[in-house]
Amino acid sequence: MISHLKSNEVFVFGSNLGGRHAGGAARLAAERFGAEEGVGEGLTGQSYAFPTLTANFEMVAVEALEASRDRFFATARAHPEKTFLLTKVGCGIAGFREEQIRPVFQNAPENVVLPEGW
């Protein structure tokens, strides 16, 4: 579990598109790492919101995950000075299985640290 960040680290958490960070890693991001309410995707504070749920808290489609992944990877490439610490997005409250999510993050940029086992 990540409890603190270095100044160049970014906490990547699973979010909902409404940006309501009430539970799980999203709550941690809001309480400790500056994630802003209402920001459901992208850089927010010292965090990156990765949407795995719609604004109505339904699982997003795999195509939406892949599009969000592409935007996330582009952000990571645009900020090579930062290290992005990816949590097991979607594998908690959102209800995805790791086997569904892990392949989405294959070929991550070098500055993206994958969760243990991924």
Side-chain angles (χ1 to χ4, degrees):
M1 177 160 156
I2 299 168
S3 60
H4 66 280
L5 297 172
K6 296 176 184 172
S7 62
N8 69 321
E9 293 179 327
V10 177
F11 181 77
V12 182
F13 67 97
S15 69
N16 61 75
L17 285 169
R20 293 187 297 278
H21 309 311
R27 184 175 187 168
L28 178 64
E31 290 177 350
R32 294 200 183 175
F33 308 128
E36 299 172 48
E37 274 305 299
V39 179
E41 183 170 11
L43 286 171
T44 173
Q46 199 173 349
S47 301
Y48 187 99
F50 188 95
T52 57
L53 293 172
T54 68
N56 294 322
F57 297 97
E58 298 165 337
M59 294 170 83
V60 300
V62 172
E63 297 80 15
L65 287 173
E66 291 171 346
S68 292
R69 181 256 344 259
D70 292 346
R71 289 187 291 274
F72 168 55
F73 282 5
T75 299
R77 287 186 189 101
H79 295 281
E81 76 285 1
K82 296 192 180 296
T83 300
F84 292 82
L85 305 176
L86 181 68
T87 62
K88 292 183 178 183
V89 298
C91 298
I93 294 169
F96 287 97
R97 294 183 325 275
E98 285 191 46
E99 297 78 34
Q100 294 173 288
I101 299 291
R102 185 182 317 115
V104 172
F105 294 98
Q106 288 181 342
N107 305 310
E110 289 184 16
N111 60 334
V112 173
V113 178
L114 300 177
E116 191 173 320
W118 282 25

